[in-house]
Structure formats: C-alpha cells, structure tokens
Amino acid sequence: MLVCQAALPVGVVVTALWMPIFAFVGDWFLVLLVGFLLLVMAACWEAARRGYFSAGYIAAQFASGIFVVYFSLLYDVPSEAVPRVCHLYFLVIALAGYANFGRDRGVLQLVVILLCLFGFVVFASSPMAFSFAVPMPEAVRAVTAWINVASVAILLAGGVVLLQREFTLDGNTARELRSALADSQFELFYQPQVDQAGTVIGAEALLRWKHPKRGYVPPDEFVPAAERAGLMPRLGSWVLKEAAQTLSAWRAHPATRDLVLSINVSADQFRMADFVPLVTETIEAYGIEPAVLKLELTESVFVADIDDVVTKMKALQRAGIGIALDDFGTGYSSLSHLRQLPLQQLKIDRSFVRAVTESGRGASLARNIAKMGHDLSLEILAEGIETEEQFQFMLSCGCRKFQGYHFGRPVPLAALEERIAAPAQALVG
Ligand code: C2E
Ligand code: MG
Ligand code: MG
C-alpha cells in the first residue's frame, strides 16, 4: 500500500516538473498536452481518494503509458549521440501497477502491467524512428536524457525500497497478529442497524485489534495483512464464536431477542471446506436461532469457483442463515451472479450513499441500485448514512434498513446494549 499511496502524488509531481522544461524549449503544444495529462491524473487521484482506488490508479497508469508512447514516437527519437530514454518510464508504471496488483488482483491491472512491459521491450529493441517524428533539438535531448534516466532510477529505487518496507511491515504484522490471537487482543465492536423509524433492529459486528501500544487498530489496517498471512480463517472463526456468544446472551432478553447480528466473512474463510458445518455447529452449540445471524460476503468471494460458492450459500440458506452482499457495487459481481445467488440482503456501499447528495448522477445511480435490488426481491440496506439528507434520499429510494454514523458509530457491546435499553436516546449522531 505504501507504493500505491505514493505513486499518484509522485506521478503528478514528476509530470508537472516537465511543464517548465517544455516551456523553456518553447514547445507550447507539449506544455498544453502535459497540462491535460496533469488534469487527467488529478481526476484519477480524486477518484482513488473517493473509494474507486483501483479504477483511478489504473486509469492514471494508462494515461501516462499513452503519453510515454506518444512522446517516445514523436519527440524522443534516438540518434547516434543520444539514445531514446522515455520508454524507461514503462518500468516505473509497471512497478506501480505491480504494487496495486498485490493489493487488488484485477485482470485490468495485470493487462496494464503486461502492456507496459511489452511497450518497454518494443521501444528498447528497435529504433522505432518514423518519418512523422519531430524530434526535440539534440542539445535539449542530450540534457533531458540524463534527467529522465536519473529520475527513472530514483523512482525505481524508491519503489523497490517502499515495496521492501511493505513486505517487512507485513511480516511483522503477521507475527504480531499471531500473538494477538493467542493473547486475546481482539474485540468486536457493534454498529447499530436501524429501520426507517430509527429503531435498532440489529447490528454489524466489526473487528478491532486492541494493540498494547497503538490502542484500537481498525480492520482496514490489519485485515489485508491477515489475509496475506492466511490468518483470516482463524480470525473469522473467533469472530463467529464471539458473535454466537453475544446472540446467545441476547436470546435471554425480550429487548434483544429479535436483533439480527451480521458478521463479515472473508473470501479465504468462506473458501474453507468446513465453513458451512463450522457455522451450523456453532449455532447449534450456542442454541441460537439461525435467522438472527447474518453473514456478510463481499464480491471478492465470487472470484472463486462460483458453483462451490453457490452450493455453500444454498446450504447456509437451507440452515436458515441470512446472507448479505456487502459493499455492493464496488466489486466484480455481474447481474447474472446476483440472480443466481441465494442472497437475502444487498448492502449499498457507502461510496454510493455519499454521492447521492453530491451530484445528480450519484443520486440516480443509488436509486437504480436500490431498484435493481427490489426487482430481485432483495432486502436493501444503505450503508454509511452520515446525514439526514442521505437518510431521506435512501428512504425515498425504497430502502428500509440503514447503517451509518448518523444512527450510531461502532461501539463496544455494553454501549450498544445500553442504547437498546434506553431507546429514547436513539439517533446518536
Ligand atoms: P464493512 O463491512 O463495509 O463495514 C463498514 C465499515 O464502514 C466499518 O468500518 C464502519 O465503521 C464504517 N462505517 C459505518 N458507518 C459509516 C459512516 O457513516 N461513514 C463512514 N465513513 N464509515 C462508516 P471498519 O469497522 O473500519 O471496517 C472496515 C472493513 O473491515 C469492513 O467494512 C469489513 O470489510 C472489514 N471487517 C471488519 N470486521 C471484520 C471481520 O470480523 N471479518 C472480516 N473478514 N472483515 C472485517
Ligand atoms: Mg460489512
Ligand atoms: Mg460494507
């Protein structure tokens, strides 16, 4: 993630630095072109910041790659005295792509990496000097060749150092996570889920790591490392047991008996051969109604053998356990998947909810997603509701279940139970 975090800002800075050089040479068309590339990269950066990380990141690589091809063919034509160097940037783009591929294994990212390597090989192995080229003056190329090669060397070295740091951090985190499991440093927080009247109808259990030095560490900071270290099945089993314990305690009180508790299931955990029996046996062991447990799957689960996924989901459905599709709209699922899967609930991702009050397009996208869920007879829950306006809009789309800071942040179990016992204090902002 370190490389991914650095790549877009560094890309923007490196691109911007070329503007004064081209202005100095007096090539205003190139200044304009680089300005346009900068705008595209800034838009990609903004998209990445808004939750479309891979899309923005890959689009930025693609735009830079096109520019490298254009510049190499037209301006950076090799001569006897000065070699072509611009194509070396393909290696930098490929390295940045590789860092993202480690984070999010998408086909598109792989294609962009391969295209960059292919581009590098082609430009490195042949002069590719065409008659339509308008090479920069030789004196300018002689200087900029040094600048380009030095900057590529620095970027590659920086990238490798950051990747190396990430691997080391990953290794340390994995070691720490193993001892955290042994030392019971994990806790579940509970975020209320409410109906249209704001009444708590259930909660989502969210994992927290109570680190002895760093305090509460949010899952986004350790779940990816736990996944890479293959620890999610163990962590997930702990979450399941803990949730079952809570549900069993809730069963004893009329105010909590009907609350539904959702837990997040990682793709690794779902893939375990004994996942279904583990869930059903846990439910039986704690004597809870299957209908009060809900499993939240993300679309990453469907990347695996879809027949196996459907078989498992059907077995869980037969056992009476509800399944929700989490972060809907951000991943891979196609409409045909949606029809095929025995789902009970669609959770509209908070990136769509945030967009409803930002633009007309955002609003109509959220409305269409909700409509699609209704057409498929699925229950719709809108995630990440932060304002009354977002709540009212999603209500008008036919959503009847909600979750978000507007209704309550994730809190320890005792705090949630306190709130349920005193419903007059509902709508904690
Ligand atoms: P998620 O399942 O989509 O969980 C919702 C996340 O959104 C939670 O972050 C929650 O605190 C946050 N959130 C809720 N309402 C709002 C809001 O109004 N605004 C904003 N900005 N954020 C809101 P959290 O707890 O940091 O969890 C992040 C992700 O980590 C979860 O996303 C889930 O994918 C993963 N995760 C959490 N617990 C577990 C677990 O036990 N197992 C697995 N496999 N993954 C988990
Ligand atoms: Mg979730
Ligand atoms: Mg979610």
Side-chain angles (χ1 to χ4, degrees), residues 40 69 100 127 137-138 173 188 228 253 270 274 304 309 327 343 367 373 383 405 421 423:
V40 173
V69 171
N100 185 44
E138 203 65 358
T173 312
L188 282 187
R228 287 191 289 269
H253 300 282
F270 192 79
D274 63 347
V309 172
D327 305 339
L343 289 167
R367 195 180 285 284
E383 283 192 275
Y405 293 169

Side-chain angles (χ1 to χ4, degrees), residues 41-253:
M41 289 189 54
C44 294
W45 190 358
E46 183 57 19
R49 255 182 13 90
R50 283 176 178 240
Y52 302 99
F53 191 88
S54 274
Y57 194 81
I58 294 170
Q61 291 165 53
F62 196 73
S64 321
I66 298 274
F67 183 78
V68 170
V69 171
Y70 178 80
F71 194 83
S72 300
L73 283 177
L74 252 82
Y75 297 95
D76 191 21
V77 185
S79 62
E80 259 177 38
V82 189
R84 170 180 277 137
V85 292
C86 189
H87 64 288
L88 295 176
Y89 282 101
F90 276 131
L91 296 178
V92 178
I93 304 173
L95 184 72
Y98 172 70
N100 185 44
F101 188 69
R103 203 188 58 84
D104 177 8
R105 290 177 186 270
V107 178
L108 199 60
Q109 180 60 86
L110 191 62
V111 169
V112 173
I113 296 172
L114 292 176
L115 278 177
C116 285
L117 294 179
F118 177 74
F120 172 75
V121 171
V122 170
F123 280 106
S125 319
S126 86
M128 302 284 282
F130 298 105
S131 52
F132 56 75
V134 278
M136 299 215 107
E138 203 65 358
V140 175
R141 288 193 62 245
V143 178
T144 53
W146 280 93
I147 299 177
N148 272 322
V149 175
S151 104
V152 166
I154 292 168
L155 290 172
L156 285 179
V160 169
V161 168
L162 286 183
L163 272 180
Q164 168 67 29
R165 259 193 71 138
E166 203 161 306
F167 290 144
T168 315
L169 278 177
D170 236 36
N172 293 343
T173 312
R175 246 193 315 281
E176 276 195 291
L177 282 168
R178 277 192 198 95
S179 51
L181 260 167
D183 298 344
S184 314
Q185 289 173 7
F186 290 101
E187 285 179 24
L188 282 187
F189 270 33
Y190 295 79
Q191 184 175 32
Q193 294 178 337
V194 303
D195 64 10
Q196 61 200 90
T199 310
V200 178
I201 49 168
E204 175 174 3
L206 293 157
L207 194 56
R208 296 289 181 269
W209 175 12
K210 197 170 180 191
H211 192 280
K213 288 193 191 122
R214 290 161 63 195
Y216 281 114
V217 183
D220 285 340
E221 282 181 34
F222 66 85
V223 166
E227 272 171 353
R228 287 191 289 269
L231 285 172
M232 270 331 274
R234 271 176 69 195
L235 255 175
S237 303
W238 179 85
V239 170
L240 175 66
K241 240 174 94 184
E242 195 75 8
Q245 227 162 43
T246 301
L247 281 169
S248 148
W250 283 358
R251 195 178 152 87
H253 300 282

Side-chain angles (χ1 to χ4, degrees), residues 179-349:
S179 51
L181 260 167
D183 298 344
S184 314
Q185 289 173 7
F186 290 101
E187 285 179 24
L188 282 187
F189 270 33
Y190 295 79
Q191 184 175 32
Q193 294 178 337
V194 303
D195 64 10
Q196 61 200 90
T199 310
V200 178
I201 49 168
E204 175 174 3
L206 293 157
L207 194 56
R208 296 289 181 269
W209 175 12
K210 197 170 180 191
H211 192 280
K213 288 193 191 122
R214 290 161 63 195
Y216 281 114
V217 183
D220 285 340
E221 282 181 34
F222 66 85
V223 166
E227 272 171 353
R228 287 191 289 269
L231 285 172
M232 270 331 274
R234 271 176 69 195
L235 255 175
S237 303
W238 179 85
V239 170
L240 175 66
K241 240 174 94 184
E242 195 75 8
Q245 227 162 43
T246 301
L247 281 169
S248 148
W250 283 358
R251 195 178 152 87
H253 300 282
T256 48
R257 186 172 298 153
D258 298 323
L259 296 181
V260 175
L261 186 58
S262 301
I263 60 171
N264 293 282
V265 176
S266 71
D268 280 9
Q269 190 188 357
F270 192 79
R271 241 174 263 139
M272 286 185 336
D274 63 347
F275 179 70
V276 177
L278 178 76
V279 177
T280 49
E281 281 162 20
T282 308
I283 283 180
E284 254 177 52
Y286 284 85
I288 53 183
E289 289 293 324
V292 291
L293 179 70
K294 189 168 281 163
L295 304 180
E296 293 193 6
L297 304 180
T298 55
E299 296 165 70
S300 57
V301 165
F302 310 130
V303 177
D305 175 2
I306 191 77
D307 291 335
D308 180 53
V309 172
V310 173
T311 309
K312 282 183 173 160
M313 286 175 80
K314 286 195 172 145
L316 290 164
Q317 189 191 38
R318 273 197 304 276
I321 298 157
I323 300 178
L325 184 54
D326 202 359
D327 305 339
F328 179 64
T330 58
Y332 311 85
S333 50
S334 66
L335 290 178
S336 62
H337 273 157
L338 275 188
R339 262 191 316 116
Q340 200 184 348
L341 299 171
L343 289 167
Q344 186 188 30
Q345 186 181 72
L346 267 195
K347 294 188 80 177
I348 302 186
D349 187 63

